[in-house]
């Protein structure tokens, strides 16, 4: 959300509704805790959103399956670890982990939706979308994809994404943040991509040996998260079967 605080007049213009309707709806949302008034600046998200965020984090299968793996991965690689999930045509960072010494400012931050077309974190997800979803994105966002440096035809895009899918990982350098390298692996639920796990670290610090080490650790951690998700599913099925 590029404008965290909105004025009633802005909402009236964007939504095309009357002043009375806007103020009535704002009052209802404020009473429910979904919005709160910010001095004379307008309205922002309210405290109930914080409660809902906590509930989401407690129930999120990716976060639950990750456990202490993200901290361990940050300690082992010295980079910033990003846990992201696909969110429509965007990628949403749901958790970021880094050691104090390895804290690297990155464009991805928790709660910020990012495009699917730039950076290892996003492209590994793009590569694992079903062909029908990839084609729909091409038909809608071809210009944006071309601006991001993706192939100029759908067939070329499909082939490039298939190559990434075959590798099972993706690495970029200075594609999203200058001077930073990203190492990403997909997080799958069967044939459905849930999101990605990635490590971002300064490219200048990377020797060939360290590149290989970071990539191996990212891929291994992603596989562990996938296994834990599958284990939880099997436990739930078994429990449901016993209750019948």
């Amino acid at each position: 959300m590029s404008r965290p605080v909105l004025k009633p007049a802005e909402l009236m213009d964007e939504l095309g509704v009357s002043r009375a309707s806007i103020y009535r709806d704002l009052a209802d949302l404020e009473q429910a805790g979904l919005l709160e008034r910010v001095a004379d600046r307008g309205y922002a998200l309210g405290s109930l959103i914080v409660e809902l965020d906590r509930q989401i984090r407690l129930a999120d299968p990716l976060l639950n399956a990750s456990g202490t793996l993200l901290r361990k991965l940050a300690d082992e690689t010295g980079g910033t670890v990003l846990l992201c999930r696909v969110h429509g045509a965007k990628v949403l960072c749901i958790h970021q982990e880094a050691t104090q010494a390895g804290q690297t400012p990155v464009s991805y931050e928790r709660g910020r939706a990012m495009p699917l077309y730039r950076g290892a974190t996003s492209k590994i997800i793009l590569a694992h979308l079903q062909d029908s979803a990839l084609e729909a994105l091409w038909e809608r966002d071809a210009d944006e994809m071309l601006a991001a440096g993706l192939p100029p035809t759908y067939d070329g895009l499909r082939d490039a994404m298939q190559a990434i899918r075959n590798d099972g990982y993706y690495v970029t350098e200075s594609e999203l943040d200058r001077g930073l390298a990203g190492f990403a692996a997909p997080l799958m639920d069967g044939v459905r991509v849930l999101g990605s796990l990635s490590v971002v670290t300064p490219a200048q610090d990377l020797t060939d040996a360290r590149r290989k080490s970071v990539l191996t650790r990212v891929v291994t951690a992603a596989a562990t998260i996938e296994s834990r998700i599958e284990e939880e599913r099997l436990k739930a099925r078994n429990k449901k079967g016993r209750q019948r």
Side-chain angles (χ1 to χ4, degrees):
M1 188 173 179
S2 59
R3 292 179 294 169
V5 179
L6 288 171
K7 294 182 178 180
E10 294 174 320
L11 292 170
M12 289 167 55
D13 290 341
E14 291 190 18
L15 300 177
V17 296
S18 68
R19 178 185 178 89
S21 294
I22 283 294
Y23 276 95
R24 181 177 63 249
D25 292 342
L26 287 173
D28 290 343
L29 292 170
E30 186 176 10
Q31 184 175 9
L34 290 168
L35 292 180
E36 64 180 36
R37 197 188 305 265
V38 184
D40 296 327
R41 295 164 54 201
Y43 288 82
L45 294 179
S47 57
L48 182 59
I49 301 298
V50 179
E51 293 183 41
L52 295 175
D53 175 71
R54 179 175 180 273
Q55 294 302 316
I56 290 172
R57 290 176 66 78
L58 289 174
D60 191 299
L62 283 181
L63 283 170
N64 289 337
S66 299
T68 59
L69 273 177
L70 304 183
R71 166 56 63 177
K72 181 182 179 183
L73 185 59
D75 290 339
E76 290 176 342
T77 63
T80 297
V81 176
L82 305 174
L83 180 67
C84 298
R85 64 162 56 252
V86 62
H87 176 58
K90 295 185 177 181
V91 176
L92 185 67
C93 179
I94 60 174
H95 191 79
Q96 184 181 114
E97 193 78 55
T99 62
Q100 192 64 34
Q103 186 71 46
T104 302
V106 296
S107 293
Y108 286 90
E109 59 185 60
R110 182 172 172 266
R112 182 180 182 184
M114 298 291 287
L116 268 170
Y117 311 132
R118 293 182 185 273
T121 299
S122 291
K123 281 186 175 177
I124 194 67
I125 295 175
L126 183 68
H128 284 79
L129 294 177
Q130 296 295 312
D131 285 346
S132 58
L134 185 64
E135 186 171 9
L137 288 173
W138 171 260
E139 292 176 354
R140 193 191 73 182
D141 295 341
D143 289 343
E144 187 178 348
M145 289 182 173
L146 293 176
L150 290 170
T153 65
Y154 173 68
D155 288 344
L157 174 68
R158 184 190 58 207
D159 292 346
M161 294 302 104
Q162 182 62 56
I164 295 173
R165 194 182 311 172
N166 291 342
D167 288 339
Y169 61 84
Y170 196 58
V171 181
T172 60
E173 187 172 321
S174 294
E175 189 168 297
L176 192 63
D177 294 306
R178 185 176 296 277
L180 298 182
F183 300 77
L187 294 170
M188 306 296 295
D189 182 10
V191 297
R192 182 169 69 99
V193 62
L194 298 176
S196 65
L197 178 67
S198 55
V199 169
V200 181
T201 189
Q204 65 181 12
D205 299 337
L206 293 171
T207 61
D208 288 344
R210 186 157 184 263
R211 285 177 182 273
K212 183 176 180 180
S213 174
V214 172
L215 184 57
T216 298
R217 293 181 188 280
V218 170
V219 171
T220 300
T224 301
I225 292 172
E226 290 176 348
S227 295
R228 290 178 177 179
I229 291 174
E230 179 61 22
E231 287 174 5
E232 288 302 314
R233 177 184 293 106
L234 292 175
K235 287 180 183 178
R237 287 176 181 171
N238 292 335
K239 181 178 181 181
K240 186 176 180 180
R242 290 194 299 269
Q243 291 174 345
R244 288 179 180 175

